[in-house]
Amino acid sequence: MAHIGQPVASSIESEKNNDNMKNLLRILHAQEEQAKLGGGKSATERHKARGKLTARERIAKLVDAGSYCVEIGMHAAHGMYADVGGAPSAGVVVVVGKVHDRDCVIVANDATVKAGAWFPMTCKKNLRAQEIAIENRVPIIYLVDSAGVFLPMQDEIFPDKEHFGRIFRNNAVISAMGIPQIAAIMGPCVAGGAYLPIMSDEALIVKGTGSVFLAGPALVEAAIGEKIDTESLGGAVIHCEISGVTDYEMENDDECLETVRSLVSKLGHPLRVDADTLNKKETSAKTRGKKNDAPNISIGSEYNSIFDRIAPQPPKFPQEEIYNIIPYDRTKQFNTHEYLARIIDGGEFDEYKGKYGQSIVCGYARVDGWAVGIVANQRSVVRTKTGEMQVGGVIYSDSADKAARFILNCNQKLVPLLFIQDVTGFMVGGRSERGGIIKDGAKMVNAVANSVVPKITVIIGNSNGAGNYAMCGKAYDPRFIFAYPTASIAVMGGAQASKTLLSIKLASLEKTGQTITGADQKKMLDEIMRQYDAQTSPLFAASRLWVDAIIDPKETRETISHCLAVASNNNHIPVFKTGVIQT
């Protein structure tokens, strides 16, 4: 096992990198605080005046105190729906956290945002929450407080495959998979939305504030002429004492949340490996007695995990030094080994084919004790044994070939995959085409697409074109995908794209006989670049759920470890098959 990493050398570039990252984080944290306000101060005051906790207060009381949580889609719908006042966090808060030491997905409607109404992005975010529960076999808890579909946008929410109805279809599928679902009705639950809690395994309802019905009082009167109030139509007493629709009648939010915690505490724990196999593994590890052969540890839901974990070691260098390493300018180079030395345990790295296909770094390491296979773009310029110079961040035929084989090995060994993206794309040009770059790229994409072990992706810089696909972008089903504030997701780099778009625009104008001066061209190019840069920012990606969250680099290890712990709940690993491999 090799040790990688050197201390960060003090330099002007290093300080610029540090300052840039801190500034981006300062802006990000301000945006996060704004998102946490939901519908704003007055809407929150009205909500609390009804005796209700906010969505984030409910989640805080539900999860284990002091436990680490990952929030999914905090920036969802950022900058969208401005004509109707916006929808911070898409009007729903989603967290992956622990309840009585049990990994759970928690979905809480934010009734301060348009009474918790469902926008198109609300639907997409709920589907993502259910996807996480399905892929990782973890319980999902719904804290329901919603007025239903936002009617002015019903055509974008109601009828299609990935729209509102898919939520209830997933309720049925999740139940059939044996994944626990618990719903707490803590506010209105109307029309089609009424099916979500009632299709869960168990439903709690809060007296006085919770209600569930297919049609509200106004619609009932319009439809059949019956005049009836909310409580008489679908309140807690009706559904707990007469209809039997709900299972537990709660006095208030606090009692409801405590009861949910109690129900979760009594859930069974499916075994992930048989006891004999686990005991043999522990005995063998103790007999060897080596530092890195420690027996698997049991931390909460990680017990009996099919993925290997030992007692963790800190990284060789502080994670905060990532600030000094990631360039303020995405075109600049850096050594990926130095980055990895700040996230892996003890800087210990078994590099796979280290001197071949060097523009991608592959190898085995541990992150907070978890064994992982790392596939990372090398951002330094490298030179092959034959003297060919390869540009950092570009995928060449040899690196694609190496990465594909390494991914196959990780699937063979049941080692989760960690993709670190800073990729500008595949190499182009006559030499690359003659060398079969498309064939080798297809081989890598095939391996990523068919991989069956958990995949976690972190975009730390560029994520361009087919490189995004080959390095396990959102379309390739990573269990979780995150971005740094320095990330940029686009079909191609900003400079190339802007010049291409300008050429198209100029050609169109010239056809109409217009003459464009050099100054006008520069003005057009600047405007195109501003628009393109805005659309490639991590915030733009997060607003559309192309990434689950934008994270602080110094929390990388903790985030990855938490996600691996969640992934370890699912021991249903399919047989690995790739189909036809391009050779």
Side-chain angles (χ1 to χ4, degrees):
M1 177 177 289
H3 287 74
I4 59 174
Q6 300 291 331
V8 170
S10 179
S11 67
I12 292 175
E13 288 290 299
S14 170
E15 290 305 313
K16 280 185 177 179
N17 294 342
N18 188 291
D19 289 345
N20 178 64
M21 185 67 79
K22 286 180 176 176
N23 186 53
L24 291 174
L25 286 168
R26 178 184 59 79
I27 295 169
L28 177 67
H29 292 155
Q31 291 164 334
E32 288 174 347
E33 291 305 310
Q34 185 64 37
K36 289 177 181 177
L37 294 176
K41 184 179 179 181
S42 59
T44 300
E45 288 174 349
R46 289 194 300 272
H47 179 84
K48 293 178 78 70
R50 300 185 183 105
K52 301 201 289 185
L53 299 170
T54 66
R56 293 183 183 280
E57 288 172 339
R58 287 167 175 167
I59 290 174
K61 284 179 175 286
L62 186 58
V63 299
D64 296 347
S67 63
Y68 186 75
C69 297
V70 171
E71 181 166 348
I72 304 296
M74 177 185 284
H75 300 288
H78 175 86
M80 300 171 71
Y81 316 127
D83 56 331
V84 293
S89 293
V92 62
V93 184
V94 175
V95 161
V96 182
K98 288 189 180 293
V99 179
H100 269 291
D101 209 28
R102 182 73 174 252
D103 294 309
C104 295
V105 178
I106 303 165
V107 182
N109 296 114
D110 185 350
T112 71
V113 179
K114 297 288 190 296
W118 286 57
F119 288 78
M121 283 305 300
T122 316
C123 190
K124 186 173 183 178
K125 190 169 174 180
N126 274 266
L127 287 169
R128 175 61 181 142
Q130 290 182 321
E131 181 180 49
I132 291 170
I134 290 169
E135 289 183 334
N136 300 290
R137 302 294 199 274
V138 295
I140 183 166
I141 301 167
Y142 307 100
L143 307 182
V144 186
D145 193 347
S146 171
V149 166
F150 186 66
L151 286 177
M153 295 182 179
Q154 66 87 27
D155 60 315
E156 300 177 56
I157 306 168
F158 167 65
D160 210 345
K161 180 179 178 180
E162 301 301 330
H163 285 177
F164 200 45
R166 191 75 173 182
I167 304 290
F168 319 131
R169 175 266 185 193
N170 284 354
N171 284 137
V173 169
I174 291 169
S175 182
M177 293 174 71
I179 299 170
Q181 297 179 91
I182 298 173
I185 302 167
M186 310 179 82
C189 189
V190 184
Y195 286 104
L196 185 148
I198 307 312
M199 291 186 72
S200 298
D201 300 335
E202 294 180 289
L204 305 83
I205 185 168
V206 178
K207 290 174 65 175
T209 56
S211 57
V212 55
F213 33 65
L214 292 181
L219 184 54
V220 167
E221 184 175 1
I224 64 173
E226 180 184 1
K227 292 185 178 182
I228 190 169
D229 61 65
T230 297
E231 278 299 304
S232 301
L233 182 64
V237 172
I238 295 297
H239 287 312
C240 283
E241 301 180 28
I242 299 175
S243 74
V245 166
T246 52
D247 307 307
Y248 304 90
E249 186 176 356
M250 301 286 102
E251 290 294 328
N252 51 47
D253 280 12
D254 285 316
E255 184 188 28
C256 184
L257 295 167
E258 190 55 44
T259 303
V260 173
R261 282 184 55 81
S262 180
L263 293 172
V264 172
S265 75
K266 298 172 180 67
L267 293 175
H269 293 270
L271 290 176
R272 296 172 181 81
V273 295
D274 63 272
D276 287 343
T277 302
L278 185 68
N279 290 335
K280 287 176 183 176
K281 186 172 186 179
E282 291 185 346
T283 302
S284 175
K286 289 174 182 176
T287 301
R288 290 193 300 269
K290 297 177 182 177
K291 178 177 62 175
N292 288 319
D293 291 332
N296 279 37
I297 57 176
S298 297
I299 300 179
S301 64
E302 291 94 22
Y303 74 93
N304 287 356
S305 170
I306 63 171
F307 306 116
D308 192 72
R309 191 182 191 192
I310 63 172
Q313 298 179 49
K316 190 174 181 181
F317 301 101
Q319 280 192 98
E320 288 84 348
E321 291 185 359
I322 294 174
Y323 293 4
N324 299 80
I325 293 172
I326 305 296
Y328 64 91
D329 180 347
R330 279 187 291 269
T331 65
K332 291 186 176 292
Q333 304 287 304
F334 68 94
N335 189 336
T336 297
H337 290 96
E338 295 303 325
Y339 168 80
L340 294 177
R342 274 110 189 134
I343 67 167
I344 65 175
D345 290 15
E348 296 177 349
F349 190 56
D350 294 317
E351 186 160 3
Y352 178 78
K353 295 183 184 287
K355 295 184 179 180
Y356 174 75
Q358 297 175 76
S359 73
I360 291 183
V361 176
C362 297
Y364 303 101
R366 292 187 182 275
V367 176
D368 198 36
W370 292 100
V372 294
I374 295 175
V375 181
N377 301 109
Q378 175 57 275
R379 286 293 300 171
S380 292
V381 174
V382 297
R383 194 174 291 275
T384 68
K385 185 68 174 178
T386 59
E388 177 190 1
M389 187 180 75
Q390 294 185 339
V391 179
V394 177
I395 302 176
Y396 293 79
S397 283
D398 55 357
S399 51
D401 177 72
K402 176 177 82 172
R405 176 62 182 273
F406 180 72
I407 291 165
L408 299 181
N409 285 349
C410 288
N411 278 272
Q412 181 81 355
K413 298 176 179 181
L414 285 181
V415 178
L417 282 158
L418 172 60
F419 290 86
I420 306 294
Q421 281 199 23
D422 193 345
V423 57
T424 54
F426 283 86
M427 190 58 190
V428 297
R431 182 176 180 179
S432 293
E433 298 295 353
R434 289 190 295 273
I437 185 65
I438 296 176
K439 163 177 63 70
D440 293 316
K443 187 189 307 181
M444 183 177 175
V445 169
N446 191 321
V448 173
N450 287 296
S451 181
V452 294
V453 295
K455 298 172 290 191
I456 297 172
T457 300
V458 183
I459 303 171
I460 66 174
N462 302 287
S463 180
N464 293 348
N468 170 282
Y469 304 157
M471 293 295 295
C472 198
K474 184 63 183 290
Y476 287 76
D477 298 320
R479 292 283 182 94
F480 297 93
I481 180 169
F482 303 102
Y484 281 1
T486 46
S488 173
I489 304 171
V491 72
M492 65 177 73
Q496 304 96 307
S498 298
K499 289 175 182 177
T500 301
L501 290 168
L502 178 63
S503 298
I504 295 169
K505 188 169 186 177
L506 290 175
S508 176
L509 291 171
E510 286 171 0
K511 286 180 181 179
T512 65
Q514 298 183 53
T515 302
I516 309 300
T517 66
D520 287 339
Q521 287 189 31
K522 184 180 184 307
K523 185 177 179 181
M524 286 182 188
L525 181 61
D526 289 344
E527 177 59 32
I528 290 170
M529 288 192 71
R530 276 195 297 272
Q531 183 178 358
Y532 194 83
D533 287 345
Q535 292 177 350
T536 61
S537 74
L539 187 59
F540 190 89
S543 71
R544 285 150 180 81
L545 289 176
W546 301 345
V547 296
D548 290 322
I550 306 171
I551 63 171
D552 187 330
K554 70 181 180 183
E555 296 178 358
T556 305
R557 277 171 54 85
E558 195 169 16
T559 301
I560 292 170
S561 178
H562 181 73
C563 291
L564 287 169
V566 173
S568 74
N569 286 277
N570 182 5
N571 70 338
H572 299 277
I573 306 297
V575 175
F576 179 54
K577 298 178 181 179
T578 61
V580 176
I581 286 283
Q582 297 74 13
T583 60

